[in-house]
Amino acid sequence: MENIAAKTTEDITRGGQFLVKETKCETVFTPEDFNEDQIMMRDSVKEFVDKELWAHKDKFEKKDYAYTEECMKKAGELGFLGVAVPEEYGGLGMGFVNTVLVCDYISGATGSFSTAFGAHTGIGTMPITLYGTEEQKQKYVPKLASGEWFGSYCLTEPDAGSDANSGKTRAELSADGKSYKINGQKMWISNAGFCHLMIVFARIEHDKNITGFIVEYDSANPNGITLGEEEHKLGIRSSSTRQVFFSDTIVPAENMLAGRGEGFKIAMNALNIGRIKLAAACLDAQRRTISGAVKYANERLQFNTPIANFGAIRSKIAEMATSCYAGESATYRATGSIEERINAREAEGNSHQEAELKGVEEFAIECSILKVAVSEDIQNCTDEGIQIFGGMGFSEDTPMEAAWRDARIARIYEGTNEINRMLSVGMLIKKAMKGHVDLLGPAMKVAEELMGIPSFDIPDYSELFAEEKEMIGKLKKAFLMVAGSAVQKYGPDLEAHQQLLMAAADMLIEIYMAESAILRTEKLAKSKGAENIKEQIAMTQLYLYHAVDTVTQKGKEGIASFAEGDEQRMMLMGLRRFTKYTNMPNVAALRETIAAKVVAENTYCF
């Protein structure tokens, strides 16, 4: 049962269009829109996490790999590993929102389990459901969906990290054409220690692109596969991570995944889905960190009063809650957009796998934005969690230090945040070149506006978020001004100017995140009444305030890096115009409104 009605692909905003098209709050999906089935699914996942994971957190910190595997088996029995798998292959066949929802709530207790879960359901299973032949799907997917088998994904090599297509692992076709012989080395392979199946990427002869293979693994009959020792890692300690070595490993020719040289495409599309799921996987970790920090702050007495009464602590709690709220808003907004796109494509006759591939690919820009934003928010959140706990936060006796260590990997895997920043802007420019998003028209209009005389009329801001929405419109102009001028100046060479791309990406990210919070809260105000959600309104205004600061700073950095003389003066003047509030919010008062609610509820309560 879905609560996202099928529309045609023509009706749906395309990926990246949020920059140039106004989005109505009624059209976005928010966490408040979960239907009964989704709420039941969320609650059953939370029950599993509290009982099996949170209650045994020490086992994960003590590198109890067997316990991680045991919990994965239980997750399989409960159907959680098969949420996204079509029913005909033994899964639950649920929509994209459910997939992201389960990933969100199953990932909050420990990064060790969430990595095992994410690697298995995402990059371990999904490439077969999306690219496999019917025979491959029938043979492997039911075992993966039930947890009878576990999957891993062998892409990274010692010399092939961010440059994934540069791998040296070789696949050589046998003389009779019936099998391939694989030789090479892979590293950082999640689930390697207990997997039964590996998605392995190797190069055939001198092909430009790598090729994917489904490789079975049985420790009793290893077929030339040896595993390195478990890696000693900063965090995610009981997620099995090993090197994998292939020495004349024989793989039947029919186990090639998709076609020859298609591996790079498989890897990139798997990463798109992985990115939005990684953002989701950082959400419940934030909720639990905030709730733990607030409970501690309410209990910890200093100067004869709970530290939760001190403004310095309340400020932290408010900022942590605000980032989490914006992260939820943006993640579920994009998730809803993707599900709409998948439903529309299926209604137009695409197969499920084609619809899902194209649906996620359409919103690859948003997936990269979310991956960066939410992975950095969880790092900040756990860092402040340690700070609220003070000395106790640094101790292994409290959960904060483990949460902080686990959070650190999120900025590295599924493509580093640096790669994803450059991808988000790079993909946007490519979409503009293809005519999928009209950036040039709006960018020219902004240039014309800069030449004109600004209006000094004071607009009517009596309606909720009237000024905030106007501000989002201005921030979009600031981005178009900077990115448009940079594209004009450098053309296709822009990708060589990485510092400029990174500054533009930060502007883009903040626009999407802030707008998502506004749309969620506006939709909530229409159903509950603005007077009943004053804390959500405060979080939205606080997030926007920070977003304006970031756009100001990064816009200035970008302009100073490529423009000079009159052009620079003109653009800096434009940037000031596009980042100027008519009514500056009272930041301390906003934080106090948010903190008062969270402290009183003694938990993250939105």
Side-chain angles (χ1 to χ4, degrees), residues 271-272 274-280 282 286 323 327 330-331 364-380 407-425 427 501-510 512-513 543 550 554:
L271 286 173
N272 284 336
R275 282 166 186 152
I276 190 165
K277 287 173 75 177
L278 178 61
C282 294
Q286 285 183 77
S323 290
T331 302
I365 294 167
E366 286 80 352
C367 292
S368 279
I369 285 173
L370 288 164
K371 192 273 177 184
V372 173
V374 190
S375 67
E376 293 181 1
D377 286 342
I378 181 61
Q379 187 82 65
N380 295 334
R408 187 59 186 86
I409 187 63
R411 285 159 53 197
I412 297 169
Y413 57 21
E414 307 290 355
T416 65
N417 283 11
E418 290 69 30
I419 287 282
N420 274 291
R421 278 184 161 90
M422 291 185 287
L423 267 177
S424 62
V425 179
M427 288 188 290
L501 282 175
M502 303 272 281
D506 281 334
M507 298 170 79
L508 186 67
I509 288 164
E510 291 307 323
Y512 188 72
M513 301 300 288
Y543 194 92
T550 302
K554 297 295 177 176

Side-chain angles (χ1 to χ4, degrees), residues 57-58 61 237 296 382-383 385-405:
K57 208 166 160 68
D58 59 322
E61 294 314 305
R237 285 183 171 172
Y296 183 81
T382 53
D383 196 69
I386 290 179
Q387 199 68 14
I388 289 169
F389 271 71
M392 285 306 295
F394 205 70
S395 162
E396 287 188 6
D397 294 340
T398 61
M400 287 297 155
E401 64 86 39
W404 182 85
R405 284 187 289 99

Side-chain angles (χ1 to χ4, degrees), residues 95-151:
F96 198 71
V97 169
N98 289 68
T99 303
V100 169
L101 173 73
V102 169
C103 188
D104 172 353
Y105 283 91
I106 213 162
S107 302
T110 161
S112 297
F113 181 83
S114 66
T115 300
F117 176 85
H120 171 78
T121 56
I123 49 186
T125 304
M126 201 173 49
I128 307 177
T129 59
L130 293 181
Y131 288 98
T133 61
E134 191 54 39
E135 293 71 28
Q136 288 168 346
K137 286 190 277 198
Q138 295 285 2
K139 183 175 180 183
Y140 295 116
V141 176
K143 288 178 175 169
L144 294 166
S146 67
E148 181 190 339
W149 278 23
F150 295 117

Side-chain angles (χ1 to χ4, degrees), residues 235-349:
I236 57 170
R237 285 183 171 172
S238 63
S239 145
S240 173
T241 313
R242 297 183 170 199
Q243 291 197 55
V244 182
F245 302 89
F246 301 95
S247 176
D248 290 349
T249 300
I250 305 296
V251 183
E254 64 267 19
N255 276 29
M256 182 188 284
L257 195 53
R260 177 170 172 173
E262 300 275 289
F264 187 59
K265 186 173 78 179
I266 296 172
M268 290 306 100
N269 281 320
L271 286 173
N272 284 336
I273 299 182
R275 282 166 186 152
I276 190 165
K277 287 173 75 177
L278 178 61
C282 294
L283 293 174
D284 200 49
Q286 285 183 77
R287 293 185 201 105
R288 286 175 184 264
T289 299
I290 295 162
S291 298
V294 170
K295 285 179 174 65
Y296 183 81
N298 274 324
E299 288 163 13
R300 170 73 169 162
L301 298 177
Q302 287 294 280
F303 310 103
N304 297 325
T305 183
I307 64 170
N309 291 343
F310 297 125
I313 300 293
R314 291 168 88 81
S315 168
K316 291 182 189 303
I317 291 167
E319 294 287 356
M320 291 156 83
T322 296
S323 290
C324 184
Y325 181 80
E328 290 172 343
S329 309
T331 302
Y332 283 102
R333 174 191 182 182
T335 300
S337 298
I338 290 169
E339 182 160 307
E340 266 193 346
R341 194 89 188 167
I342 292 169
N343 291 348
R345 281 192 166 273
E346 284 186 328
E348 288 170 9

Side-chain angles (χ1 to χ4, degrees), residues 37-265:
D37 291 355
Q38 287 160 341
I39 289 166
M40 274 169 59
M41 176 61 92
R42 179 192 69 190
D43 292 346
S44 64
V45 170
K46 280 164 81 170
E47 189 184 334
F48 163 76
V49 171
D50 287 335
K51 189 173 147 207
E52 306 294 346
L53 309 181
W54 192 255
H56 301 282
K57 208 166 160 68
D58 59 322
K59 290 187 178 180
F60 294 103
E61 294 314 305
K62 288 174 181 155
K63 304 190 180 182
D64 190 339
Y65 301 106
Y67 189 66
T68 301
E69 187 179 354
E70 189 187 317
C71 291
M72 284 288 287
K73 285 201 170 83
K74 285 179 183 163
E77 286 158 19
L78 291 166
F80 299 147
L81 302 182
V83 173
V85 172
E87 288 177 62
E88 58 265 39
Y89 309 115
L92 298 178
M94 290 181 159
F96 198 71
V97 169
N98 289 68
T99 303
V100 169
L101 173 73
V102 169
C103 188
D104 172 353
Y105 283 91
I106 213 162
S107 302
T110 161
S112 297
F113 181 83
S114 66
T115 300
F117 176 85
H120 171 78
T121 56
I123 49 186
T125 304
M126 201 173 49
I128 307 177
T129 59
L130 293 181
Y131 288 98
T133 61
E134 191 54 39
E135 293 71 28
Q136 288 168 346
K137 286 190 277 198
Q138 295 285 2
K139 183 175 180 183
Y140 295 116
V141 176
K143 288 178 175 169
L144 294 166
S146 67
E148 181 190 339
W149 278 23
F150 295 117
S152 69
Y153 181 83
C154 302
L155 177 64
T156 304
E157 298 184 14
D159 294 322
S162 296
D163 183 8
N165 203 29
S166 65
K168 294 183 174 67
T169 299
R170 296 273 163 207
E172 186 187 337
L173 187 62
S174 61
D176 61 8
K178 288 186 177 168
S179 64
Y180 283 88
K181 194 159 62 179
I182 295 184
N183 283 285
Q185 172 188 3
K186 299 288 180 179
M187 70 189 301
W188 311 127
I189 306 308
S190 296
N191 296 354
F194 60 82
C195 73
H196 307 79
L197 178 149
M198 300 171 175
I199 309 284
V200 180
F201 294 91
R203 194 176 311 280
I204 301 170
E205 293 171 349
H206 298 292
D207 287 2
K208 179 179 173 232
N209 289 328
I210 49 180
T211 298
F213 295 89
I214 302 169
V215 180
E216 295 181 29
Y217 174 64
D218 174 2
S219 53
N221 177 24
N223 183 18
I225 299 173
T226 50
L227 304 180
E229 290 298 307
E230 288 288 354
E231 299 285 355
H232 299 286
K233 309 185 295 289
L234 171 71
I236 57 170
R237 285 183 171 172
S238 63
S239 145
S240 173
T241 313
R242 297 183 170 199
Q243 291 197 55
V244 182
F245 302 89
F246 301 95
S247 176
D248 290 349
T249 300
I250 305 296
V251 183
E254 64 267 19
N255 276 29
M256 182 188 284
L257 195 53
R260 177 170 172 173
E262 300 275 289
F264 187 59
K265 186 173 78 179

Side-chain angles (χ1 to χ4, degrees), residues 323-531:
S323 290
C324 184
Y325 181 80
E328 290 172 343
S329 309
T331 302
Y332 283 102
R333 174 191 182 182
T335 300
S337 298
I338 290 169
E339 182 160 307
E340 266 193 346
R341 194 89 188 167
I342 292 169
N343 291 348
R345 281 192 166 273
E346 284 186 328
E348 288 170 9
N350 284 143
S351 68
H352 173 73
Q353 59 197 89
E354 183 69 14
E356 183 150 330
L357 268 172
K358 293 291 183 201
V360 176
E361 199 178 349
E362 179 63 53
F363 290 94
I365 294 167
E366 286 80 352
C367 292
S368 279
I369 285 173
L370 288 164
K371 192 273 177 184
V372 173
V374 190
S375 67
E376 293 181 1
D377 286 342
I378 181 61
Q379 187 82 65
N380 295 334
C381 183
T382 53
D383 196 69
E384 291 289 43
I386 290 179
Q387 199 68 14
I388 289 169
F389 271 71
M392 285 306 295
F394 205 70
S395 162
E396 287 188 6
D397 294 340
T398 61
M400 287 297 155
E401 64 86 39
W404 182 85
R405 284 187 289 99
D406 283 356
R408 187 59 186 86
I409 187 63
R411 285 159 53 197
I412 297 169
Y413 57 21
E414 307 290 355
T416 65
N417 283 11
E418 290 69 30
I419 287 282
N420 274 291
R421 278 184 161 90
M422 291 185 287
L423 267 177
S424 62
V425 179
M427 288 188 290
L428 183 65
I429 291 166
K430 280 198 180 84
K431 278 199 154 195
M433 304 282 190
K434 285 182 183 168
H436 291 177
V437 177
D438 176 20
L439 285 187
L440 201 60
M444 301 287 278
K445 279 202 186 102
V446 173
E448 283 166 26
E449 188 179 328
L450 285 180
M451 305 302 285
I453 297 163
S455 161
F456 294 104
D457 298 342
I458 300 290
D460 173 16
Y461 291 138
S462 53
E463 202 174 302
L464 177 67
F465 291 145
E467 181 165 7
E468 287 78 5
K469 287 204 267 189
E470 184 188 82
M471 184 59 94
I472 284 285
K474 291 195 297 191
L475 296 185
K476 290 177 183 180
K477 287 177 182 176
F479 174 84
L480 289 166
M481 173 182 75
V482 173
S485 301
V487 170
Q488 271 183 324
K489 179 151 192 163
Y490 296 117
D493 295 336
L494 181 58
E495 55 192 49
H497 298 267
Q498 292 193 348
Q499 292 188 48
L500 185 52
L501 282 175
M502 303 272 281
D506 281 334
M507 298 170 79
L508 186 67
I509 288 164
E510 291 307 323
I511 290 165
Y512 188 72
M513 301 300 288
E515 183 179 62
S516 299
I518 289 172
L519 292 167
R520 174 185 181 183
T521 309
E522 187 186 9
K523 189 173 187 182
L524 199 51
K526 288 188 175 176
S527 64
K528 289 195 166 175
E531 64 285 358

